[in-house]
């Protein structure tokens, strides 16, 4: 008999990733004169670049971000209208954010402006409202002889950012080399997409448009997490250019609490089974191991223990295992969700590693939407490797009924060292994947070996997280406009001037 690839979604341990920023503000002498002198006119600055490169060979690796008026123009004529600094440096806190963007150990220095009018956030475009920010990479000391003009903080790298929390008087000082402020922007190439329209969806025997079987396999039966729905293919349709998964309060068959052994043709190594042995596969146990994991010898993947008559809800779950699998890159989905009590919409990925069971194969949850919130998470094995002791790193934001009335975009950026998950371009979680290294877990890190992951797209009812559906109106829909997968091919080139003055964006 064939056996399901076993996938868990149990309760797991949470590991939080707190971030904190510190800072204070104090008046120091004017810096406008030295900034004007450093810019000069456009031609003069560009002509000095070759000489500057020679100086950089022995100069301290300090990236200076010149002040910028709030209308986006720089004081003096140098580079005016050509470049744009992404963040105005109005105080230590803003300077710390800029330094944190380097994601390296180093030292962050801030010099306030004595001509500041004290209302730097009022939008009046005074160039006196900005200060001077510098970042110096590596282990450096703080020169207290410049304590009257500068304040500084050590920065510590971690989780694809840095923390620069403890500010004190003085300026960063130490031997290192000049570094570029910008690495350039990534260039993404579209590798695969499904718009769930007439170009990809196919008609079934009744003429109803279904998800493309070359991409997706529909799951059948009770699957995981003590969820209440019986998954069946007919609850997923392509309609008006979108995939619509519908959860219904209905019975797939006339009510019968018993599970029935169906189309079981055991091989020599398969166990002897009967209806009584199948009883644990349905409510209230919802087991998903042993006989509950066996499927019939057909293309549908129907369990040999047929418990569909016990189900009070139906829905659909689709997976790409063995058809469309992914590694490093960017995944994007545009969808509309519904988090009324009992509904649990998900897009998640699971490592497809031969002979490696969950959670040692790794899991990335791009979307978990239930009970008025959106959650993103990464799951891996703990020291024991047992499913009951899996470790989860998660973050969540709240939704509103109004927010759920329209489509939104979810993005997963997956690199060898980190994952970032965003909703409508707002990052809700970023994780350094070294948290799953063997030195911490005793197991191979499933995220760092270019392993392939497959997708699961489903709408569950109840279960560990969905909540009680009994008081909710049904049907409930999970609508997906498209899913796209991109791979990073290269980065944009960085203008030579950026390495000198720390500009991060060309306009």
């Amino acid at each position: 008999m064939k056996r399901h690839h076993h996938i868990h979604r149990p309760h797991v341990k949470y590991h939080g990733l707190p971030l904190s920023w510190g800072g204070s503000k104090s008046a120091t002498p004017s810096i406008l004169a030295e900034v004007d002198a450093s810019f000069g006119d456009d031609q003069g600055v560009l002509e000095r670049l070759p000489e500057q490169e020679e100086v950089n060979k022995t100069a301290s690796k300090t990236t200076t971000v010149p002040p910028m008026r709030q209308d986006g123009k720089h004081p003096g004529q140098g580079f005016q209208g050509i470049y744009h600094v992404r963040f105005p440096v109005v105080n230590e806190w803003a300077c710390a954010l800029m330094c944190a963007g380097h994601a390296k150990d180093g030292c962050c220095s801030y010099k306030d402006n004595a001509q500041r009018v004290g209302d730097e956030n009022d939008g009046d475009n005074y160039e006196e409202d900005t200060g001077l920010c510098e970042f110096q990479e590596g282990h450096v000391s703080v020169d207290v002889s410049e304590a009257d003009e500068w304040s500084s903080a050590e920065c510590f790298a971690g989780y694809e950012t840095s923390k620069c929390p403890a500010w004190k008087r003085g300026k960063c000082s130490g031997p290192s080399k000049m570094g570029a402020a910008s690495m350039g922007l990534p260039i993404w190439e579209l590798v695969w997409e499904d718009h769930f329209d007439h170009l990809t969806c196919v008609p079934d025997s009744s003429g109803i448009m279904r998800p493309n079987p070359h991409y997706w396999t529909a799951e059948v039966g009770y699957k995981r997490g003590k969820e209440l729905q019986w998954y069946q293919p007919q609850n997923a349709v392509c309609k008006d250019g979108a995939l619509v998964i519908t959860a219904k309060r209905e019975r797939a068959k006339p009510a019968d609490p018993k599970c029935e052994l169906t189309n079981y043709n055991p091989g020599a190594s398969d166990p002897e089974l009967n209806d009584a042995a199948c009883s644990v596969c349905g409510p209230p146990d919802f087991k998903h191991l042993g006989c509950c994991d066996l499927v019939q010898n057909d293309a549908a993947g129907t369990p040999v223990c047929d418990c569909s008559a016990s189900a009070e809800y139906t829905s659909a779950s689709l997976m790409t295992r063995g058809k469309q699998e992914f590694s490093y890159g960017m995944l994007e989905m545009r969808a509309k969700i519904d988090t009324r009590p009992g509904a649990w919409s998900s897009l998640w990925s699971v490592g497809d590693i031969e002979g490696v069971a969950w959670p040692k194969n790794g899991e990335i949850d791009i979307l978990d939407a239930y009970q008025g919130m959106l959650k993103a998470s990464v799951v891996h094995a703990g020291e024991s490797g047992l499913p009951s002791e899996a470790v989860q790193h998660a973050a969540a934001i709240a939704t509103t009924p109004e927010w759920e009335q329209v489509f939104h975009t979810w993005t997963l950026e997956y690199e060898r060292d980190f994952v970032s998950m965003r909703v409508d371009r707002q990052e809700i979680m970023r994780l350094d994947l070294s948290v799953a290294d063997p030195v911490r877990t005793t197991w191979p890190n499933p995220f760092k070996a270019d392993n392939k992951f497959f997708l699961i797209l489903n709408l569950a009812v109840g279960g560990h997280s969905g909540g009680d559906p009994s008081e909710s109106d049904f049907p409930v829909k999970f609508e997906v406009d498209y899913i796209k997968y991109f791979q990073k091919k290269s980065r944009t080139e960085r203008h030579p001037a950026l390495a000198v003055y720390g500009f991060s964006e060309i306009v």
Side-chain angles (χ1 to χ4, degrees), residues 7 9 192 194-196 201 211-212 215-220 223-224 227 229 231-233 235-238 242-246 315-321 324 326 331-337 344-350 364-369 410 454-460 477-484:
I7 306 166
R9 298 209 84 180
W192 174 80
D194 193 344
H195 283 266
F196 302 103
C201 294
N212 194 321
Y215 301 157
W216 304 96
T217 298
E219 294 190 282
V220 180
K223 286 301 169 187
R224 50 196 158 258
E227 298 160 2
Q229 80 291 324
Y231 283 132
Q232 54 187 23
N235 288 55
V237 301
C238 298
L243 170 67
V244 182
I245 297 178
T246 304
S315 189
S317 176
L318 307 174
M319 66 165 60
T320 66
R321 185 172 187 241
Q324 290 293 329
F326 314 94
L331 191 76
E332 181 177 281
M333 176 183 72
R334 184 172 183 264
K336 184 165 70 170
I337 61 169
W344 182 2
S345 302
S346 297
L347 173 66
W348 46 304
S349 61
V350 180
I364 302 174
D365 300 332
I366 302 101
L367 163 68
D368 266 333
W410 281 261
F454 62 90
L455 300 178
I456 302 177
L457 188 64
N458 67 286
L459 174 55
K477 295 181 178 180
F478 178 24
E479 302 176 57
V480 181
D481 182 18
Y482 64 77
I483 297 178
K484 300 180 180 181

Side-chain angles (χ1 to χ4, degrees), residues 281-322:
C281 303
D285 299 298
F286 293 104
K287 298 291 185 181
H288 41 247
L289 290 174
C291 62
C292 306
D293 202 32
L294 296 174
V295 298
Q296 301 176 22
N297 291 318
D298 58 22
T302 306
V304 298
C305 291
D306 184 359
C307 303
S308 56
S310 66
E312 299 181 25
Y313 300 88
T314 64
S315 189
S317 176
L318 307 174
M319 66 165 60
T320 66
R321 185 172 187 241

Side-chain angles (χ1 to χ4, degrees), residues 111-175:
K111 186 175 185 179
D112 205 355
N113 194 333
Q115 299 182 32
R116 181 188 303 280
V117 295
D119 54 358
E120 59 269 20
N121 296 317
D122 63 0
D124 60 7
N125 297 327
Y126 287 158
E127 57 191 54
E128 292 87 352
D129 284 345
T130 55
L132 186 65
C133 184
E134 291 185 357
F135 178 77
Q136 191 167 349
E137 182 184 341
H139 179 70
V140 298
S141 59
V142 175
D143 184 357
V144 296
S145 67
E146 300 194 55
D148 291 340
E149 294 185 332
W150 293 84
S151 57
S152 301
E154 289 188 79
C155 301
F156 305 96
Y159 303 104
E160 294 301 316
T161 184
S162 295
K163 300 178 185 179
C164 312
W167 287 82
K168 56 187 176 182
R169 304 307 303 175
K171 186 178 185 297
C172 301
S173 176

Side-chain angles (χ1 to χ4, degrees), residues 23-147:
S24 60
K25 181 172 65 179
S26 60
T28 53
S30 171
I31 61 169
L32 290 183
E34 62 188 82
V35 171
D36 288 339
S38 69
F39 271 80
D41 56 77
D42 292 337
Q43 187 66 30
V45 172
L46 293 177
E47 287 178 350
R48 284 199 301 270
L49 284 176
E51 300 175 10
Q52 192 68 45
E53 290 176 358
E54 292 299 319
V55 174
N56 290 347
K57 294 179 180 179
T58 57
S60 171
K61 187 170 184 179
T62 301
T63 303
T64 300
V65 183
M68 180 189 72
R69 296 205 308 246
Q70 293 188 2
D71 60 3
K73 298 179 181 179
H74 297 283
Q77 299 300 312
F79 304 128
Q80 184 167 333
I82 300 176
Y83 298 100
H84 170 66
V85 176
R86 189 169 298 187
F87 300 107
V89 187
V90 296
N91 51 31
E92 287 176 355
W93 180 81
C95 183
L97 288 179
M98 296 190 72
C99 293
H102 291 266
K104 296 178 179 179
D105 291 334
C107 189
C108 189
S109 295
Y110 174 72
K111 186 175 185 179
D112 205 355
N113 194 333
Q115 299 182 32
R116 181 188 303 280
V117 295
D119 54 358
E120 59 269 20
N121 296 317
D122 63 0
D124 60 7
N125 297 327
Y126 287 158
E127 57 191 54
E128 292 87 352
D129 284 345
T130 55
L132 186 65
C133 184
E134 291 185 357
F135 178 77
Q136 191 167 349
E137 182 184 341
H139 179 70
V140 298
S141 59
V142 175
D143 184 357
V144 296
S145 67
E146 300 194 55

Side-chain angles (χ1 to χ4, degrees), residues 379-449:
V379 183
H380 60 82
E383 290 187 10
S384 69
L386 297 174
S388 60
E389 296 183 8
V391 178
Q392 180 175 159
H393 309 266
I397 59 174
T399 69
T400 65
E402 293 76 20
W403 193 90
E404 296 178 12
Q405 294 302 309
V406 297
F407 282 82
H408 299 276
T409 303
W410 281 261
T411 305
L412 164 69
E413 185 175 349
Y414 177 28
E415 300 286 347
R416 183 177 297 273
D417 298 322
F418 76 95
V419 292
S420 170
M421 284 172 269
R422 302 184 287 272
V423 180
D424 294 336
R425 299 185 179 182
Q426 175 190 352
E427 185 173 79
I428 62 174
M429 180 179 178
R430 176 177 286 256
L431 182 69
D432 185 330
L433 292 175
S434 65
V435 295
D437 282 350
V439 68
R440 302 188 182 199
T441 68
T442 71
W443 302 99
N445 188 328
F447 308 109
K448 287 193 172 184

